[in-house]
Amino acid sequence: MKRRWSLDAWVLGLGLAALVVLGLSQVDTVAVRTAVLDLWVWGRATFRPWKTTLQALALPALLWLALTVVLKELSPTPNVFSRAVVGGITAFWGLRYLLWRGFATLNWDNGATAAVSLALFAAEAVNLLNTVLFYLHHLFQVDRSREADRWSRAVLEGTYLPWVDVLIPTYNESVDILRRTVIGCQAMDYPHKRVYLLDDGRRPEVKKLAQQLGCGYRDRPDNRHAKAGNLNHALPTIHGELVAVFDADFVPSRNFLERTVGFFQDPQTALVQTPQNFFNEDPISVNLGLEGIVSNEQTLFFRYIQPSRDWWDAVICCGTCFVVRRSVLDEIGGIPTGSITEDYFLSLQLQARGYRVKYLNEALSAGLAPETIGAFIDQRLRWGQGTLQLLFLGANVLTMPGLRWGQRFSHALGFLYWFLSLCRLVFLLAPLAYLLLDIPPLRATVDELIFFYLPYYISGVMCFSWLTENRRSVFWSDVYETLICLPMSLTVLKTLLAPYNKPFKVTPKGNRNPDRIQVNWRIAGPLLVLMGLSVLGLLRPVLGWTTVAVNPDSYIVNLLWATYNLMLLTVCVLAAIDVPQAPYPWFNRREACQLAVAGHVWTGETLALSEGGAVLVLPDAPSQVLARGRLTFVQPSPLAGLSLPVQVDAQGSQVQVTFLEMPLAALRRLIPHLYCQPYQWREVKVPEFKTLWAMVTSVLRLHPLAEV
């Protein structure tokens, strides 16, 4: 498909923008201000604090704080009414703040100052627009669990059992990861399924694995169009009515097909997407030592945003853990290949043709989150680039034929998200303009900020975590956005200039170094530079390294702002230091067992269990044993009868054992028991201020450095 705009057009546009900026420095700002004097005077007269006492200035913020506390008590779980109230009042505070910023705080002293001031104002305006639209978008949500109950009856009763081809595309994932996924797919409780490994790496060991496990195997002579091409190459060779797709590291629960297949009795249902869950923590939580305290970064999208998208009929296919009707794939010519986010493009094409893409918000599978900060960042950059590529493919959500206005609105909000990295970059640099270059990005007193900004800020802090049911806090949103803003800003700009300058890149999984810390200098380096500039800016007035008289209010405002940024940057630098991780996910499993070593047998239970070993509680075990033995699971454990050779390392009453051999028959029992239990995957939900305290302690503890 042709690109809508050429590279030359973008260069011309940027050139014109540069001329405008240069011309701005020559503008007679006095004349401009005179031309709009009447409006300006009205605005400055209107947007001023009522009083000068601290109590009066803080009154709006305190009243809103009290009201949010009452709302939380009356409606612990947000509903449509509470979302509307909070969203409406937040929009009011935000608009009030933005009007004050526009009328009373812009700095027009000279061209450079005006450019900085306008850039900050534009970033705040875009951020407020995103906030208001976010709250509007999430007024309503769809819960399809009852619908799944109704549709699944025919599946459970055996009256609707279409054939399902389960496709597992792979490129460079390890055999161990693939074995786990295939066994999990084969363990699904559904009779009419066929499992296929689609090997884009053309590896003999993967072909041998498919033969050992008794699943289908497909490869192809090239890697054209990456994952989308891999799936499309397999489609002519399979014949099921439905196609289920799992990434190579995702394992479905036993009831995955039972819960999803029934939806396709509705002829308008083209695709059913389920959320992604993870059996390991994301690298930010791990690197900061906050496992179980901070939720996975993707939880907000999968458990909160997607159900709202379902209400707008704008669900995004996420590339894994979904089922699609084969006939609609044939209708559109297979998986779209124009974008590296082929899954998003697939959603748009189906919705534009009037089909339903539904979202079942149930934890029916889990996979590996990126295990290093580099893999985490690269994955997000690919998503951002692929989404923006759609603007050049005739899939512009504002003009694409067939989409309804609600779908356009929902998808447009998703596109807007990727531009917020540019806003975050402005927020990091703006206080440095004053502290290092003596360019005030805004003219404001502390009193004015208390009166106009504090209610808006409190609204975000108090309400965002509550509305998202403790899935995300403002503070950790700031951490994620700060961590990614530099590389994402570059990716956004590069994609707008040259949408196809970067090919598809598989997110690496399961291949990190488990023995030592690794600093990702590509991520940490620029953040350290910003940290250094922030420290220099904070010290400059104190050490007298400036000849400009310091304005107390401006200095206090930018001092607090830069200090908060410095804390964010410190957290992000620590998150960019990868710490060692266990090679296998561990599960809390209490299983009755017996350990036999050198003729002695001890009875106890497991405390934790993995594919690679177990931690046992054996009250009568010796204090120190380092030997080979055999672990046997006994009744009432579901694994009763499974017996494995182990290497024993006993330390008191807790005994660590490592599995020495794992026959295929044992894996077929252990993997479904560990990974495939229905509804075993739970969300982490943590209150707002607990996550703030976690952020502070992560700085104080320097967790990754303590791992050295």
Side-chain angles (χ1 to χ4, degrees), residues 455-688:
Y456 176 45
Y457 180 74
I458 285 179
S459 184
V461 170
M462 293 296 295
C463 300
F464 185 68
S465 179
W466 169 49
L467 288 176
T468 60
E469 299 179 46
N470 293 324
R471 294 184 174 98
R472 176 74 62 82
S473 72
V474 167
F475 303 115
W476 280 100
S477 291
D478 287 349
V479 170
Y480 287 124
E481 292 170 10
T482 300
L483 180 65
I484 203 171
C485 72
L486 284 166
M488 183 58 73
S489 294
L490 290 174
T491 296
V492 168
L493 295 176
K494 288 180 179 178
T495 304
L496 294 178
L497 289 171
Y500 305 102
N501 67 332
K502 186 177 180 181
F504 181 94
K505 184 179 179 181
V506 175
T507 303
K509 302 283 182 69
N511 58 356
R512 67 170 298 154
N513 188 326
D515 301 322
R516 58 186 175 88
I517 70 167
Q518 294 177 303
V519 181
N520 190 311
W521 292 109
R522 178 173 66 94
I523 305 301
L527 297 173
L528 286 170
V529 171
L530 285 175
M531 285 181 65
L533 293 175
S534 298
V535 172
L536 180 62
L538 292 172
L539 293 177
R540 182 168 174 253
V542 176
L543 299 176
W545 296 346
T546 176
T547 59
V548 179
V550 176
N551 180 295
D553 281 297
S554 294
Y555 179 62
I556 291 173
V557 169
N558 287 281
L559 173 70
L560 295 175
W561 190 355
T563 301
Y564 181 69
N565 284 347
L566 184 60
M567 183 175 68
L568 290 176
L569 290 167
T570 304
V571 174
C572 292
V573 168
L574 293 174
I577 304 174
D578 290 313
V579 301
Q581 291 189 31
Y584 298 102
W586 284 84
F587 299 85
N588 294 325
R589 291 284 194 272
R590 296 279 185 169
E591 309 293 347
C593 62
Q594 290 181 339
L595 177 65
V597 179
H600 299 280
V601 178
W602 296 275
T603 299
E605 64 178 3
T606 63
L607 185 66
L609 190 60
S610 76
E611 293 170 75
V615 176
L616 315 178
V617 178
L618 305 175
D620 300 324
S623 59
Q624 185 69 36
V625 173
L626 184 61
R628 292 190 174 220
R630 178 165 290 275
L631 179 68
T632 303
F633 294 92
V634 298
Q635 294 292 347
S637 170
L639 297 174
L642 179 61
S643 182
L644 298 169
V646 295
Q647 177 70 33
V648 182
D649 182 7
Q651 298 291 337
S653 62
Q654 289 193 8
V655 179
Q656 175 88 38
V657 300
T658 302
F659 299 144
L660 298 177
E661 297 176 18
M662 187 67 70
L664 179 57
L667 284 171
R668 289 196 182 278
R669 293 192 64 187
L670 183 61
I671 287 176
H673 179 68
L674 292 178
Y675 296 94
C676 302
Q677 301 296 327
Y679 306 114
Q680 74 179 82
W681 310 111
R682 303 297 182 187
E683 291 185 74
V684 174
K685 296 183 178 182
V686 183
E688 175 81 23

Side-chain angles (χ1 to χ4, degrees), residues 200-211:
D200 245 10
R202 297 174 289 280
R203 294 166 289 172
E205 63 271 24
V206 175
K207 185 175 183 179
K208 181 179 179 181
L209 174 68
Q211 293 171 345

Side-chain angles (χ1 to χ4, degrees), residues 201-232:
R202 297 174 289 280
R203 294 166 289 172
E205 63 271 24
V206 175
K207 185 175 183 179
K208 181 179 179 181
L209 174 68
Q211 293 171 345
Q212 290 174 343
L213 297 179
C215 71
Y217 177 83
R218 302 287 187 273
D219 62 3
R220 56 183 181 139
D222 56 49
N223 302 109
R224 190 181 180 196
H225 299 309
K227 179 181 175 180
N230 193 7
L231 292 169
N232 288 335

Side-chain angles (χ1 to χ4, degrees), residues 18-99:
L19 289 176
V20 170
V21 173
L22 290 174
L24 182 62
S25 64
Q26 306 300 319
V27 170
D28 184 350
T29 56
V30 175
V32 172
R33 291 173 64 183
T34 302
V36 294
L37 185 60
D38 290 340
L39 181 62
W40 191 261
V41 170
W42 173 85
R44 289 183 63 85
T46 302
F47 294 100
R48 299 178 69 87
W50 301 328
K51 303 285 185 179
T52 58
T53 64
L54 180 60
Q55 295 91 331
L57 293 171
L59 183 61
L62 294 175
L63 287 175
W64 178 228
L65 179 63
L67 180 57
T68 55
V69 172
V70 172
L71 279 173
K72 288 183 178 183
E73 290 298 320
L74 295 176
S75 179
T77 300
N79 52 37
V80 174
F81 174 75
S82 59
R83 291 191 190 106
V85 170
V86 168
I89 297 179
T90 299
F92 167 77
W93 291 128
L95 182 60
R96 171 179 177 265
Y97 167 73
L98 198 65
L99 289 173

Side-chain angles (χ1 to χ4, degrees), residues 237-270:
T237 70
I238 60 178
H239 308 288
E241 183 179 335
L242 303 177
V243 175
V245 177
F246 294 97
D247 280 351
D249 57 293
F250 271 83
V251 183
S253 300
R254 289 184 179 275
N255 61 338
F256 181 91
L257 292 177
E258 291 178 346
R259 297 294 291 171
T260 54
V261 165
F263 283 96
F264 293 91
Q265 295 170 83
D266 174 10
Q268 286 303 111
T269 299

